[in-house]
Amino acid sequence: MNLRQTHLSRGKFGKYGGRFVPETLMPILIELEEAYLHYKEDWDFRDQLSYYLREFAGRPTPLYYAQNLSRKYGGPRIYLKREDLAHGGAHKINNTLGQALLAKRMNKERVIAETGAGQHGVATAMACAALGLDAEIYMGTEDMERQSLNVFRMRLLGAKVHPVDSGSKTLKDAVNEALRDWTTNPETTYYLIGSAVGPHPYPTIVRDLQSIIGQEIKEQILLRERRLPAALFACVGGGSNAIGTFHPFLDDLDVRLYGVEAGGRGVETGKHAASICAGSEGVFHGMLTFLLQDVYGQVQPTCSISAGLDYPAVGPEHSYLHSIRRVEYASATDKEALEAFSELSRTEGIIPALEACHALAHLKKVASKMSKDGAVVVTVSGRGDKDVEVVAERMGRGV
Amino acid sequence: MTIIEETFRALRERKEAALIAYVTAGDPSLEYTPRIADALIEGGADIVELGIPFSDPIADGKTIQAAAVRALNAGTTPPLVLKIAERIKNKHGVPIIVLTYYNILYNCGLEGFLGLAKKSGVDGVVVPDLPFEEAEDYRKVAGEVGIETVFLAAPSTTKERLLEIMRYTSGFLYLVSLFGVTGERSSLPDSAIRLVREFSAYTKGVIPLAVGFGISRPEQIRELTAAGADGVIVGSAFVRVIEQNCASFAGATDKLTRMTRRFKMATCQGNKPD
C-alpha cells in the first residue's frame, strides 16, 4: 500500500486539490512546479536547506517525554514533538526557509505572503531577512488588531505589512489579496503560501517541507521506544503541521492518526472553523476541498479562539485522507483548548500555542481508552507566548 | 450559428466591434438590475454580461469586490440572478452571458446550474477561476445543455496554451489585457496593444477575440479594436456609476446609457482592419 503520494497527476489527491486559478497564474504555477521538482532532487539545494534548518531554525526539535501528563492521564506514554522550540516559536519556519530558498533559486527577489495570527508572516520575514529577499505580508485589519505584537515583529524584521480591509478582514481575505498581488506581479514575485493549501503544487511543496516533523518523530520514537507510536495527534487549520506529522506514517497502518479541528463555541452552534467535521466539498483558493459555505457556495465566516486555525477550508490532502478514512478528524472547542493550555503549562512547564491545545484536548478525551502499553505523540506546533493576552482576557484577568 | 456567433458576425460585417457590458447582478439590489440592463442596452451594448456575486472574487479589483458585497448583502443568490437574466432576455432578446466563480457552479452541480442557465435564456458562461485543465466535466455538460463556454487567455499564456484554449472556448475568447485584476486604468500598458496584435493573428477567422480588464475610456476601445480586437468588455466603469448612485438611483440609468453610448461609438471608430 502506498498512501504517501509523492508524484501527483495534475496535483490531485484522489479527486481533491487541483488548480482552480485564473489563466494568468496557470503558466506561473506550471513554472513553479517544474522548478520545485528540479530543486527538490538537487543536492546543492538540499544541502543548503538542511544547513539553514539546522543552524538557523534549530532542528531537529526534541521529542520530549511528558512524564507528568502521562502519569496524570494514566494511559499511554505521551511524547511531545517540540515545534515550539523551532526558531520563531512554531513549525512555520520549516516551510518558509524551503520556499524562500526556492524563490531565490528562481531569481524572484520579492516575496509576498498572507498571515492570520502573524506566525507565518513572522516566519516569512525571518527567512527573507536571512536570505536577503524583500518580504511583503498581507494581513487582515481585524487580525492586525488582535496580533499587534506580531505586526511589530514583522516590521522589525524588515517586512512590509499590507493591511487588508476587504471581506471579513481576516486570513481568507489576506489570501485573496496575496493572490491578487501575485496575479499583478507574477513574473517578479514569489508567493510564499503558509499552509498546505492553495492550488497545486503548493499543498505538495508545503507538505514535503513540513514532513521533516514526522521524519524526526519516526527516528526519535524508534530510538526511545523501539517501535512505532500507537497514535499521532495534530491540530488542523489549513493543516500543514498535521500533514507534516502524518505523512511519513501514512503507510504504517497500525499508527492511528488524529487531526483535530477548531470547534470554536461548539460545532452545533455554527460558530467554529471545523471544515472537515462540519463543512462540505467546494472550490476555494485554487483547490477542491472541504470548506465552510452556505447552500449557494458563499464562503462563511469562521470562529475560533486560535487565530491560526481560523480558516474556512482545509488542505486538499486532508480531505483525501478523510475520504479514505486513514486519518480520523475530530474537533475541540475553545473551552477545551483553554483547559489544555492551562493543564500543559502547569503539569509540564510548557506553554503551548492555542492551535496545538486542540490536539492536546483531543488526546485527553481518548487517552484513558488507549492501551497503557504504547506511546503516543502530540505535535506542539508552536509556543503559546503569543496567546497569553487572549487567554488572560478569557480568564477575566489582565496580563 | 449561435446567437453570440451571429452577433459577432453581424458586427464584423458593419466593421464594428462588440461592446460587452458587465454589471454585478443584484447591485445595489436585484430590483435595479433589469433597469440597469435596459439602460445598457439602450446605450448600445451588444452583449450583456451579468456577474453572479461570490464571496471571494480573486480575479476582481476593489470596484467589483465592493459590488459583490453590496449584492450579497441585498440577498442576491444564483437562482435569483438567473430569473433576472430571463426577464432581460424576454424583453430585449440580446445575448446574455453570466460570469461567476467555479464554486457557485460546483455547489449547485454542473447539470443543475448550466441547465437552469440555459432555460433562463443565458447564452454563455465565463468562469475566471476555471482553467481548461480542470474543465473537462464543465465542457461536457455545457455541450449537452447547449451553452457557450467562454475561456480566458492572459498575458502569461504561451502560444501552446493559447492554441489549446482556442479549441475549448466557444462564443468568443476572453483576453485579459494585462497582469492584474479587474478595475479601471486611466491608460492601458503598451503591452496590451501588442498582446491583442499578437493573439488576434491566431484567432482571426477562428474565434472572435474580446478584450477585458482595465478598459474605461473610449480611446482605449479605439486602440484595442484598431489592434484587432473583435470586442471589448467593460465592467468596473459601469459598476462605479452604480456605486456612486447607490443612495438615489434615479440619475444612474441616464448616466449608464450615456456612458454606454460613448463606448459603443468607439467600437465603430476603431478603423478595424479586415
Side-chain angles (χ1 to χ4, degrees), chain B residues 1-269:
Chain B
M1 193 174 262
T2 67
I3 179 171
I4 296 179
E5 288 166 354
E6 175 55 30
T7 301
F8 276 98
R9 195 201 55 77
L11 288 165
R12 194 159 46 235
E13 237 163 49
R14 303 205 299 267
K15 301 220 187 256
E16 286 176 33
L19 175 64
I20 302 168
Y22 169 94
V23 289
T24 302
D27 170 33
S29 73
L30 263 172
E31 74 251 34
Y32 293 107
T33 304
R35 283 162 57 192
I36 290 168
D38 291 346
L40 297 170
I41 293 163
E42 197 193 325
D46 299 298
I47 297 174
V48 172
E49 183 181 8
L50 294 176
I52 299 179
F54 176 54
S55 53
D56 296 84
I58 55 169
D60 286 304
K62 297 254 175 282
T63 307
I64 295 180
Q65 285 175 44
V69 170
R70 287 192 297 271
L72 289 172
N73 287 344
T76 307
T77 65
L80 290 173
V81 173
L82 294 176
K83 228 175 242 169
I84 297 289
E86 191 170 17
R87 270 177 63 185
I88 298 168
K89 184 72 165 191
N90 289 340
K91 184 164 173 191
H92 297 284
V94 295
I96 294 181
I97 56 184
V98 296
L99 178 145
T100 195
Y101 288 81
Y102 192 53
N103 197 42
I104 299 292
L105 278 73
Y106 188 86
N107 207 273
C108 186
L110 289 171
E111 285 86 359
F113 183 90
L114 294 170
L116 185 60
K118 177 71 184 178
K119 261 201 293 190
S120 311
V122 171
D123 302 292
V125 183
V126 187
V127 188
D129 62 343
L130 185 67
F132 67 81
E133 283 92 336
E134 304 286 356
E136 209 174 302
D137 294 345
Y138 164 74
R139 286 193 296 119
K140 188 169 155 277
V141 176
E144 285 163 9
V145 165
I147 208 163
E148 311 261 38
T149 52
V150 179
F151 280 84
L152 297 92
S156 53
T157 303
T158 57
K159 186 190 150 196
E160 290 71 31
R161 287 186 69 82
L162 175 66
L163 295 175
E164 196 151 4
I165 293 167
M166 282 169 57
R167 285 218 305 274
Y168 302 136
T169 197
S170 58
F172 60 92
L173 175 68
Y174 189 137
L175 177 61
V176 175
S177 69
L178 41 73
F179 281 112
V181 292
T182 59
E184 300 162 89
R185 315 288 202 277
S186 53
S187 68
L188 289 177
D190 294 341
S191 59
I193 305 297
R194 278 204 305 276
L195 189 70
V196 172
R197 280 212 190 95
E198 196 188 321
F199 280 28
S200 62
Y202 294 102
T203 55
K204 200 168 181 174
V206 183
I207 186 92
L209 179 72
V211 188
F213 282 43
I215 302 168
S216 58
R217 299 189 173 194
E219 57 270 27
Q220 296 167 336
I221 295 174
R222 282 192 285 269
E223 279 182 298
L224 291 166
T225 49
D230 304 299
V232 291
I233 302 140
V234 179
S236 295
F238 294 128
V239 172
R240 191 173 44 87
V241 172
I242 295 166
E243 178 170 46
Q244 287 169 347
N245 292 276
C246 271
S248 81
F249 201 70
T253 49
D254 284 347
K255 280 185 196 152
L256 286 169
T257 301
R258 282 201 299 275
M259 182 181 252
T260 314
R261 200 165 283 143
R262 279 203 308 280
F263 291 150
K264 183 56 214 172
M265 282 189 30
T267 66
C268 309
Q269 297 165 340

Side-chain angles (χ1 to χ4, degrees), chain A residues 10 12 18-24 26-27 30 172 176 180 183-184 186 281-283 288 293 295-299, chain B residues 53-58 60 65 72 77 103-104 106-107 128-129 131 133-134 152 154 156-157 161 165 179-180:
Chain A
R10 287 182 171 183
K12 297 276 168 101
R19 238 187 310 229
F20 297 86
V21 293
E23 170 63 19
T24 306
M26 283 302 293
I30 292 166
K172 90 175 170 77
N176 291 342
R180 290 180 186 120
T183 309
T184 310
E281 284 173 10
V283 174
L288 172 57
Q293 55 188 336
V295 290
Y296 298 110
Q298 309 295 354
V299 180
Chain B
F54 176 54
S55 53
D56 296 84
I58 55 169
D60 286 304
Q65 285 175 44
L72 289 172
T77 65
N103 197 42
I104 299 292
Y106 188 86
N107 207 273
D129 62 343
E133 283 92 336
E134 304 286 356
L152 297 92
S156 53
T157 303
R161 287 186 69 82
I165 293 167
F179 281 112

Side-chain angles (χ1 to χ4, degrees), chain A residues 1 11 59 67 73 79 96 115 119 125 156 176 201 213 218 220-221 295 307-308 313 324 341 380:
Chain A
M1 191 154 181
R59 301 208 73 88
Q67 199 177 354
Y73 288 173
Y79 288 85
T96 59
T115 197
Q119 294 303 101
L156 189 66
N176 291 342
I213 303 173
K218 209 168 201 179
Q220 291 165 322
I221 197 84
V295 290
I324 61 165
F341 188 88
V380 180

Side-chain angles (χ1 to χ4, degrees), chain A residues 132-180:
Chain A
L133 292 160
D134 291 331
E136 297 184 26
I137 315 291
Y138 286 93
M139 188 171 187
T141 48
E142 182 116 327
D143 288 334
M144 286 178 75
E145 208 164 293
R146 289 195 283 191
Q147 302 285 341
S148 54
L149 191 63
N150 273 340
V151 176
F152 183 77
R153 289 166 86 198
M154 285 184 266
R155 287 182 174 146
L156 189 66
L157 291 157
K160 219 181 270 172
V161 181
H162 296 292
V164 177
D165 214 10
S166 57
S168 59
K169 299 167 193 178
T170 59
L171 177 57
K172 90 175 170 77
D173 309 285
V175 175
N176 291 342
E177 218 43 61
L179 283 168
R180 290 180 186 120

